[in-house]
Amino acid sequence: MLNGVDIRKLNLTWLRQQMGLVNKEPTLCNDTIRANIAYGKEGNATGAEIIAAAKTANAHSFISGLQNGYKVMVGERGVQLSGEQNQRVMITRVVIKAPVLLLLDEATSVLDEESEHVVQDALDRVMDTRTTIVVANQLSSIKGADMIAVVKNGVIVEKGRHETLINIKDGFYASLALNSSAASS
């Protein structure tokens, strides 16, 4: 269901236009940062729109700090930028698109802990105003979700908020959380 409508009844092209995707391997084009961000919006994105989106995505300060700023060429698949910078450019592209539905597929999984916090903060601001589906192995990415569906062997085995799932005795989510906190200690 999307806004109370069965998605099977929606036009597939229209539905895809309503979605924004950030995955663990950003897909940047061999072009400037500005062009990669503008790609998210149909028609032309203004400089002011690009800067506003970059500020929302925690990207403006790092972009402005680069020698050529928004004119920096990112290289094929973003090789000229760090993983964190690539993710923030991708998030900025999603912000400028302003999708109704946001899909995050392991969006912070390849980042170190410090970079994850910066990117997660940007994602939290973007997720605040739209329906978001998060696929994650890192519990830090989903703790604040309204609904968590725990999948084991392709089947949903538990559903609920973090606070509920963490307290299920012998629950799969609780065991994942326990193992996750033990691994980070």
Side-chain angles (χ1 to χ4, degrees), residues 70-87:
Y70 287 84
K71 295 178 183 175
V72 167
M73 294 294 289
V74 301
E76 195 68 37
R77 300 179 74 202
V79 297
Q80 299 300 321
L81 302 176
S82 71
E84 172 193 338
Q85 291 170 334
N86 277 319
Q87 286 299 71

Side-chain angles (χ1 to χ4, degrees), residues 15-73:
L15 181 59
R16 287 181 176 152
Q17 290 170 344
Q18 306 311 305
M19 295 179 187
L21 171 67
V22 178
N23 60 17
K24 70 179 171 183
E25 294 185 26
T27 51
L28 298 181
C29 304
N30 187 12
D31 207 332
T32 64
I33 290 175
R34 183 194 192 293
N36 271 282
I37 293 169
Y39 179 72
K41 184 175 181 185
E42 277 191 46
N44 291 329
T46 67
E49 289 172 319
I50 289 170
I51 289 171
K55 286 179 179 177
T56 299
N58 280 348
H60 180 69
S61 59
F62 100 76
I63 295 169
S64 297
L66 298 172
Q67 186 170 2
N68 292 319
Y70 287 84
K71 295 178 183 175
V72 167
M73 294 294 289

Side-chain angles (χ1 to χ4, degrees), residues 57 61 68 83 108 111 133 145 148 170:
S61 59
N68 292 319
T108 62
L111 304 175
I133 298 172
I148 299 170
D170 299 323

